Amino acid sequence: MKIIDITQELFSCRVYPGDMSPRYEQAKTIQHDNYNLTNISMSVHSGTHIDAPNHFIANGKAVHELDLSVFYGVCTVVELYGIIGDNEIMEILANCHERLLFKGQNELSDNAATLIAKSHVKLIGVESQSVGNMSHPLNVHVALLEKGIIPLEGLILSNVNPGEYILSAFPLHMRGSDGSPVRAVLIDGTNQ
């Protein structure tokens, strides 16, 4: 079994334009206080993270209300570049698992998001900080989140081959939050 870390390092991670970059402060040190203690401040959408429906949907579910089974299980990794349109997504949906990760510089078109929203998929993962177009992400997010499909954004898939894996990407337990950082890993059972 091989475990592949697909998570950005938090304090050097990418953030959505305009969002706060994660920062930390060493509040206590062993030298002065006999122990280390670090405080952090950040957006919940920093680095590798999930979006909860209440990020874009009024009265949508918050992180603490999400079904945790969505964040663990068999996933399909596909590699695509550019805008993902109807033809590409229909072919992928015919052969993918409930968790679908897109490797490469790509973005879902509005139509592709609508087709995914009508499918069996429960989670969509991308390397970008947004599952939709960075300059106008609303339509793609709303199409997915209205159907309870969770975006997993900010992945690092450069060292991952397309194929099937076990995904583990649990959010933190944060009551009312519209997103959460995750530690995302792929488990490859083929390399015993």
Side-chain angles (χ1 to χ4, degrees):
M1 173 176 64
K2 180 179 179 184
I3 297 177
I4 307 165
D5 192 351
I6 57 172
T7 311
Q8 295 180 55
E9 192 281 320
L10 187 61
F11 297 113
S12 62
C13 72
R14 300 184 309 263
V15 297
Y16 191 83
D19 285 1
M20 165 197 267
S21 293
R23 301 189 294 269
Y24 69 91
E25 168 197 15
Q26 195 71 44
K28 302 289 181 181
T29 64
I30 290 175
Q31 293 80 6
H32 294 105
D33 307 293
N34 296 322
Y35 65 100
N36 287 320
L37 179 68
T38 304
N39 293 328
I40 64 172
S41 58
M42 60 182 282
S43 161
V44 294
H45 298 275
S46 297
T48 307
H49 68 279
I50 62 104
D51 292 346
N54 71 340
H55 185 37
F56 283 97
I57 308 296
N59 301 314
K61 287 185 177 181
V63 168
H64 75 282
E65 299 171 304
L66 299 176
D67 177 0
L68 291 179
S69 70
V70 170
F71 304 103
Y72 181 85
V74 181
C75 75
T76 304
V77 176
V78 296
E79 186 170 1
L80 289 171
Y81 295 88
I83 297 173
I84 302 169
D86 298 12
N87 292 336
E88 295 98 341
I89 205 64
M90 291 302 289
E91 185 176 326
I92 291 166
L93 291 174
N95 299 298
C96 73
H97 293 282
E98 293 178 333
R99 295 159 202 86
L100 176 59
L101 309 184
F102 291 104
K103 175 181 177 173
Q105 295 292 323
N106 53 61
E107 67 182 61
L108 288 176
S109 67
D110 291 355
N111 286 345
T114 300
L115 291 169
I116 292 169
K118 296 176 182 175
S119 77
H120 64 288
V121 171
K122 295 181 178 180
L123 178 143
I124 291 288
V126 295
E127 292 192 84
S128 171
Q129 289 306 113
S130 175
V131 73
N133 183 292
M134 290 289 281
S135 62
H136 53 278
L138 181 65
N139 292 345
V140 168
H141 279 88
V142 169
L144 298 174
L145 291 169
E146 279 185 333
K147 298 297 184 181
I149 299 167
I150 303 299
L152 171 59
E153 299 168 327
L155 297 170
I156 297 178
L157 298 170
S158 53
N159 294 323
V160 176
N161 293 321
E164 294 182 356
Y165 300 87
I166 300 293
L167 171 69
S168 176
F170 290 105
L172 301 177
H173 191 116
M174 297 191 296
R175 182 165 294 281
S177 185
D178 52 89
S180 173
V182 301
R183 183 67 182 261
V185 300
L186 293 176
I187 302 166
D188 183 355
T190 61
N191 297 332
Q192 301 285 339

